[in-house]
RNA sequence: GGGCCCGUAGUGUAGUCCGGUUUAACACGCCUGCCUGUCACGCAGGAGAUCACCGGUUCAAAUCCGGCCGGGCCCGCCA
């Protein structure tokens, strides 16, 4: 169709030229004898003027309604100075309409596209997603996402990575999230699983000698949804041969630096101001450090309020809650809320304690250091010297408030970590326009699953342990919780946006790990035999990482939900209000795939 | 599986606590008419709501109670 310009790109340079435009009626201002149209396409809007001098043309223009699709042609003319609209890019000119064709009409949309002063309920937005996506904000988000993916792919291409697609119909493997299953028609009673990640295939690609692979990969996990979790999501997945952890980290840091530099203008536009570029290298915290200082394996480094361990100082105190906890091998952790005496109300303190209790702590002890000395329900149990040591360790000064949790190490950390986040928000310590990346390294290889009553892989069972691989079994028998993995997570502003590891490339070690986490010989062969066999044919040392693209885009664009950067997301109950998926199917379809439902 | 919040014209909200004063209000949108310089055009008029659904209490329910469906946030879950 004839189109000489995009709406948002007509300008002073086009004055007196005949312009052909295609687009949607964004707004219509009917003055009786003169009609103004704001015509919109993907590039922006431009004003079209239809005068009543041409009766036939004017009659057509009178029929127009919002979101009608039209072809317009006419001369671009300069606007008189008093009619220039500074608010739009094309505001210095307008199109004097000489021809107007209605390509399609539109029902009145349930979503206001032009003047979205209020946002409809998300259900309405998802039901009419194709209208919601017409809004500037949503289009910008998708364009931004596109640019980000292109920039990353270009960078990796330059660095010698090749993009390879891996199957969606693959094999269900135990461990990890619940699988989405796909029944096989040709093989009655058998199922494919949609991949939770391309993990095993990218390892096989390394064994195949591809050396550097990447993919913008769709992943599927049948778990409950959150504002940052969808049942299908996208990862920038990569894998490299002959690398150490630091080689992988360097590639990701390089990719992000390059990408954010490319997107600098877009990010600044989102934030309405200049955002400082990221500095390389990103800081690194060991997992132990992250837990100890921030009470989280995904620490938010946008503010301080770090946790302080005072277990050793209260070992022999007469405050029995503390002393007993330490004696039992637990920890006493503390946060110093600077000037908390004035900034924290009693009600707020009580709310924090409620949070602590919900998370499994027995309580949240507090101490206010007033100008008249300590005020606290537990102060009387402490000797003067003990308090002084605590003040020194926590850098506590007059007016500060100390919050304590005494419990098992992980509970104490988790609880105070949550309290810290709540305080950060409440006391407005967080700069929402800053990006704090950090690596968390040296994760434990195993963790104990209370529900399954066994040790499981913390990351996944293909992660290489640190240290001498041949000693893995002895080490596991001695101290399973102390074994560290060659794993690393990338964290941005308190959200995990990626993770990876150096993999096990020796068949014998891989076999041992499966055994350690309690997978029987028969099951190892049935589920993972192909991997172990592949490792036996000259598998190179390799490792990689995957970035959660949806989350990354969401955070860079400053959105609160991953759904705002996904074209067609699902609701919290994993439904698609637009298509109605999932839905019942024809009985014949079920018969074909040998499925009988039992509900 | 659990906790909290929400559901009122096409859209966003008020009204819900404390039942009757409401013929369910307001804004945007929509329809009709008027208007040749607007740009979130303006002016005049109009239509549009089984108050999510089902049941209960009551002389009387958008309002109270129970159930149920749907949405959101979170915990669990997410190698």
């Amino acid at each position: 169709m004839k189109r000489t310009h995009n709406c948002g790109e007509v300008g002073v340079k086009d004055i007196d030229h005949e312009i052909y435009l295609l687009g949607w009626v964004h707004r219509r201002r009917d003055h009786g004898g003169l009609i103004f149209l704001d015509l919109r396409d993907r590039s922006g809007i431009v004003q079209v003027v239809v005068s009543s001098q041409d009766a036939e043309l004017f009659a057509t223009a009178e029929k127009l309604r919002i979101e009608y699709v039209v072809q317009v042609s006419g001369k671009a003319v300069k606007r008189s100075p008093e009619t220039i609209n500074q608010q739009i890019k094309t505001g210095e000119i307008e199109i004097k309409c000489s021809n107007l064709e209605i390509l399609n009409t539109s029902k009145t949309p349930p979503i206001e596209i032009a003047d979205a002063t209020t946002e409809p309920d998300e259900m309405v937005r998802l039901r009419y997603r194709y209208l919601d996506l017409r809004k500037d904000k949503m289009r910008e988000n998708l364009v931004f996402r596109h640019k980000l993916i292109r920039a990353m792919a270009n960078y990796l291409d330059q660095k010698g990575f090749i993009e390879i697609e891996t199957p969606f119909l693959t094999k269900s493997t135990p461990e990890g999230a619940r699988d989405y299953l796909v029944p096989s028609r040709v093989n009655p009673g058998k199922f494919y699983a949609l991949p939770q990640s391309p993990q095993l295939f990218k390892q096989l690609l390394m064994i195949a000698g591809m050396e550097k692979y990447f993919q913008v990969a769709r992943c599927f996990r049948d778990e409950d949804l959150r504002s940052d979790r969808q049942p299908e999501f996208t990862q920038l997945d990569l894998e490299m041969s002959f690398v150490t952890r630091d080689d992988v980290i360097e590639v990701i840091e390089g990719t992000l630096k390059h990408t954010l530099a490319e997107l600098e203008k877009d990010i600044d536009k989102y934030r309405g101001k200049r955002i400082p570029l990221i500095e390389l290298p990103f800081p690194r915290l060991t997992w132990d450090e992250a837990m100890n200082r921030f009470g989280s394996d995904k620490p938010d480094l946008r503010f301080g309020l770090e946790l302080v361990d005072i277990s050793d100082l209260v070992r022999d105190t007469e405050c029995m809650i503390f002393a007993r906890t330490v004696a039992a091998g637990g920890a006493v952790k503390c946060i110093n809320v600077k000037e908390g005496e004035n900034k924290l109300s009693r009600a707020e303190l009580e709310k924090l304690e409620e949070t602590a209790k919900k998370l499994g702590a027995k309580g949240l002890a507090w101490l206010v250091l007033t100008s008249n000395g300590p005020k606290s329900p537990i102060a009387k149990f402490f000797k003067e010297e003990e308090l002084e040591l605590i003040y020194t360790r926590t850098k506590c000064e007059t007016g500060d408030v100390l919050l304590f949790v005494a419990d098992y190490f992980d509970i104490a950390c988790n609880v105070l970590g949550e309290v810290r986040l709540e305080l950060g928000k409440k006391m407005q310590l967080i700069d929402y326009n800053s990006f704090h990346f950090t690596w968390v390294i040296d994760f434990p290889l195993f963790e104990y699953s209370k529900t399954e009553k066994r040790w499981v892989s913390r990351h996944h069972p293909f992660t290489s342990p640190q240290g001498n691989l041949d000693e893995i079994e002895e080490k596991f028998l001695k101290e399973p919780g102390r074994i560290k993995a060659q794993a690393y997570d990338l964290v941005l502003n308190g959200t995990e946006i990626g993770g990876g590891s150096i993999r096990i490339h020796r068949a014998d070690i891989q076999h041992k790990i499966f055994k350690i986490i309690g997978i029987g010989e028969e099951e190892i062969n049935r589920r993972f035999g192909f991997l172990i066999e592949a490792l036996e044919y000259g598998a190179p040392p390799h490792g990689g990482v995957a970035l959660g693209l949806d989350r990354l885009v969401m955070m860079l664009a400053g959105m609160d939900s991953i759904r705002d950067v996904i074209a067609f997301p699902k609701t919290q109950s994993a439904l698609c209000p637009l298509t109605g998926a999932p839905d019942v199917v024809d009985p014949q379809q079920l018969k074909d795939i040998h499925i009988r439902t039992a509900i």
Side-chain angles (χ1 to χ4, degrees), chain A residues 95-242:
Chain A
I95 308 299
K96 216 173 153 220
C97 183
S98 55
N99 212 314
L100 171 66
E101 197 185 330
I102 299 177
L103 301 176
N104 207 349
T105 59
S106 169
K107 290 165 76 172
T108 302
I111 291 175
E112 290 178 39
I113 292 151
D115 304 298
T117 44
T118 54
E119 198 159 69
D121 185 86
E122 194 159 8
M123 196 59 184
V124 176
R125 293 178 56 205
L126 295 183
R127 167 96 173 69
Y128 298 96
R129 191 58 157 180
Y130 44 88
L131 297 178
D132 193 47
L133 294 178
R134 284 184 192 172
K135 292 189 298 194
D136 284 345
K137 185 189 95 179
M138 295 304 289
R139 192 189 55 247
E140 278 163 17
N141 287 352
L142 293 185
V143 171
F144 179 72
R145 181 182 175 122
H146 157 78
K147 286 185 185 170
L148 176 119
I149 292 173
R150 284 270 62 81
M152 287 180 157
N154 287 342
Y155 181 83
L156 291 171
D157 174 53
Q158 276 170 31
K159 293 284 171 185
F161 285 78
I162 52 177
E163 187 169 8
I164 304 175
E165 291 168 88
T166 54
F168 274 9
L169 297 177
T170 179
K171 187 175 160 117
S172 175
T173 50
E175 305 291 303
R178 208 172 286 115
D179 283 320
Y180 275 100
L181 297 177
V182 181
S184 168
R185 175 184 57 84
V186 186
N187 303 280
K190 295 192 172 172
F191 296 83
Y192 302 97
L194 302 180
Q196 294 177 29
S197 86
Q199 183 60 35
L200 292 176
F201 288 104
K202 63 176 177 174
Q203 291 190 238
L204 294 170
L205 286 170
M206 293 304 100
I207 299 172
M210 295 300 151
E211 296 201 20
K212 291 177 174 182
Y213 139 95
F214 84 99
Q215 181 179 198
V216 178
R218 189 64 61 83
C219 305
F220 306 86
R221 295 179 191 176
D222 187 4
E223 298 292 348
D224 286 348
L225 289 79
R226 290 284 188 284
S227 55
D228 63 353
R229 269 163 43 185
Q230 283 274 304
E232 51 182 310
F233 62 99
T234 306
Q235 288 186 342
L236 178 79
D237 189 49
L238 65 83
E239 194 78 5
M240 307 164 73
S241 293
F242 311 115

Side-chain angles (χ1 to χ4, degrees), chain A residues 169-461:
Chain A
L169 297 177
T170 179
K171 187 175 160 117
S172 175
T173 50
E175 305 291 303
R178 208 172 286 115
D179 283 320
Y180 275 100
L181 297 177
V182 181
S184 168
R185 175 184 57 84
V186 186
N187 303 280
K190 295 192 172 172
F191 296 83
Y192 302 97
L194 302 180
Q196 294 177 29
S197 86
Q199 183 60 35
L200 292 176
F201 288 104
K202 63 176 177 174
Q203 291 190 238
L204 294 170
L205 286 170
M206 293 304 100
I207 299 172
M210 295 300 151
E211 296 201 20
K212 291 177 174 182
Y213 139 95
F214 84 99
Q215 181 179 198
V216 178
R218 189 64 61 83
C219 305
F220 306 86
R221 295 179 191 176
D222 187 4
E223 298 292 348
D224 286 348
L225 289 79
R226 290 284 188 284
S227 55
D228 63 353
R229 269 163 43 185
Q230 283 274 304
E232 51 182 310
F233 62 99
T234 306
Q235 288 186 342
L236 178 79
D237 189 49
L238 65 83
E239 194 78 5
M240 307 164 73
S241 293
F242 311 115
V243 287
T244 62
R245 176 192 72 196
D246 291 358
D247 296 321
V248 178
I249 283 179
E250 197 184 312
V251 166
I252 288 297
E253 289 184 346
T255 305
L256 284 169
K257 175 148 190 159
H258 166 83
T259 302
L260 296 203
E262 293 268 296
L263 300 177
E264 193 182 308
K265 283 204 182 93
D266 301 86
I267 293 170
D268 291 350
K269 194 179 161 199
Y270 272 120
R271 304 302 169 129
K273 65 176 200 187
R274 192 70 271 286
I275 305 290
L277 271 179
I278 54 174
E279 296 279 331
L280 294 188
F282 296 150
R284 297 182 193 184
L285 290 170
T286 65
W287 182 83
D288 290 332
E289 224 182 328
M291 293 307 291
N292 268 309
R293 288 172 54 194
F294 302 97
S296 169
D297 60 1
K298 44 185 167 70
D300 190 337
L301 301 190
R302 287 176 297 182
F303 64 103
L305 274 184
E306 291 191 18
L307 280 52
V308 180
D309 198 305
I310 56 163
S311 306
D312 56 318
L313 302 183
V314 297
R315 191 179 305 273
D316 303 315
T317 176
E318 277 163 37
C319 179
M320 292 318 283
I321 327 162
F322 285 10
R324 279 198 197 122
T325 301
V326 178
V332 179
K333 301 233 137 209
C334 169
I335 284 183
N336 177 0
V337 185
K338 282 278 159 200
E339 296 168 53
E341 186 179 7
N342 297 324
K343 290 181 177 167
L344 273 183
S345 71
R346 188 61 190 258
E348 283 170 325
L349 270 178
E350 274 164 23
K351 218 174 141 227
L352 288 172
E353 173 153 28
E354 221 175 277
T355 306
K357 281 183 173 164
K358 258 187 223 155
L359 292 165
K362 288 168 213 82
L364 183 72
W366 52 271
L367 182 152
V368 187
L369 185 51
T370 72
S371 44
N372 298 324
K375 202 173 88 187
S376 165
I378 55 167
K380 57 177 180 276
F381 299 118
F382 289 97
K383 297 194 192 79
E384 189 96 357
E385 313 89 74
E386 286 172 340
L387 286 176
E388 283 305 325
L389 284 170
I390 292 172
Y391 297 156
T392 309
R393 171 83 54 90
T394 59
K395 300 190 175 67
C396 183
E397 298 167 311
T398 305
D400 294 354
V401 172
L402 297 179
L403 302 174
F404 307 88
V405 174
D407 217 305
Y408 296 109
F409 176 80
D410 48 346
I411 292 185
C413 290
N414 281 335
V415 169
L416 265 193
E418 281 303 317
V419 167
R420 171 180 178 266
L421 290 178
E422 220 168 278
L423 280 168
K425 278 178 214 148
K426 203 186 302 261
M427 298 178 72
Q428 299 176 330
L429 301 174
I430 300 174
D431 175 3
Y432 287 94
N433 286 321
S434 66
F435 299 123
H436 286 262
F437 289 92
T438 184
W439 291 102
V440 177
I441 58 172
D442 299 344
F443 274 80
L445 186 64
F446 302 113
E447 69 185 338
Y448 190 73
S449 163
K450 281 178 192 150
T451 49
E452 297 183 54
K453 298 204 167 62
R454 66 179 177 108
W455 288 85
V456 297
S457 294
R458 191 184 171 96
H459 190 53
H460 58 51

